[in-house]
Amino acid sequence: MVYTAEVEHMCPIAQGANHGPAPIPEEGRWVKAREVKDISGLTHGVGWCAPQQGCCKLTLNVKDGIIEECLIETVGCSGMTQSAAMASEILPGKTILEALNTDLVCDAINTAMRELFLQIVYGRSQTAFSENGLPVGSGLEDLGKGLRSMVGTMYGTKAKGPRYLELTEGYVTKLALDENSEIIGYEYVNFGKMMDAIKQGTDANEALAAATGTAGRYADAATYVDPREE
């Protein structure tokens, strides 16, 4: 260690206050984190790219400082979605500190990594007070049984009004309108269920019919429209 001349000529004085770090909640325990391996927790959050034209939702499950699983969901440009695929290969197995200093290509994913790092190392994870946290694999729970992201896509204009395009249930195929042309329900296709049925050998048309459902007062509509064509 190199010291300046000013420090070298100082007389030593005892440093009395040395109580260590404040404990943080981690998976049902209070932990005084001194090293990367002292950090555990599952949490998720959102990052955004520099022009704020896209975002990334990142889920991390950290055990003893190591990222055991990650889930990346993105909305934005094609480059961002490609970067998400890369991040899913890059992040698992790294320490949370390594991951913070890894270029994940997309600003949105880098920002999400930074925000999650702060949450976890400050003990603000989703599993802070859950004994032993959550098992590896829990990151998929947000996707549901069909393993598809929960996406809401709406579009509207002053001249022509709103269009529901995709919601949590799935891809919207028809809008149900009342006598005043106001939306009172919709028909949708759950792509996750449909693709699972097709993979199991179900005819595509049968799988489509089985994965089709309605929401709201769909049956009471005065008219039905295709939100993408009409």
Side-chain angles (χ1 to χ4, degrees), residues 154-221:
M154 311 292 194
Y155 177 74
T157 61
K158 179 180 178 181
K160 299 297 183 178
R163 298 289 189 278
Y164 295 0
L165 301 176
E166 187 155 354
L167 293 169
T168 301
E169 300 93 337
Y171 179 93
V172 177
T173 53
K174 290 181 183 178
L175 296 180
L177 309 181
D178 64 11
E179 294 82 0
N180 300 318
S181 293
E182 294 181 2
I183 299 172
I184 59 172
Y186 52 89
E187 178 187 75
Y188 62 87
V189 175
N190 187 313
F191 277 149
K193 290 182 179 179
M194 184 179 75
M195 293 306 299
D196 285 344
I198 292 173
K199 286 188 290 185
Q200 293 169 7
T202 305
D203 175 78
N205 289 324
E206 293 179 15
L208 174 62
T212 299
T214 62
R217 295 186 292 117
Y218 186 81
D220 300 332

Side-chain angles (χ1 to χ4, degrees), residues 17-29:
N18 184 16
H19 308 300
I24 61 174
E26 287 187 16
E27 301 188 340
R29 299 172 295 126

Side-chain angles (χ1 to χ4, degrees), residues 113-163:
M113 185 65 234
R114 179 194 71 198
E115 296 301 311
L116 264 64
F117 177 89
L118 294 174
Q119 288 181 32
I120 295 173
V121 299
Y122 281 127
R124 270 64 170 182
S125 69
Q126 303 296 310
T127 55
F129 298 101
S130 300
E131 188 174 359
N132 297 321
L134 291 173
V136 176
S138 299
L140 290 176
E141 291 182 0
D142 275 1
L143 301 182
K145 292 182 179 180
L147 297 184
R148 289 190 85 235
S149 296
M150 303 296 182
V151 177
T153 307
M154 311 292 194
Y155 177 74
T157 61
K158 179 180 178 181
K160 299 297 183 178
R163 298 289 189 278

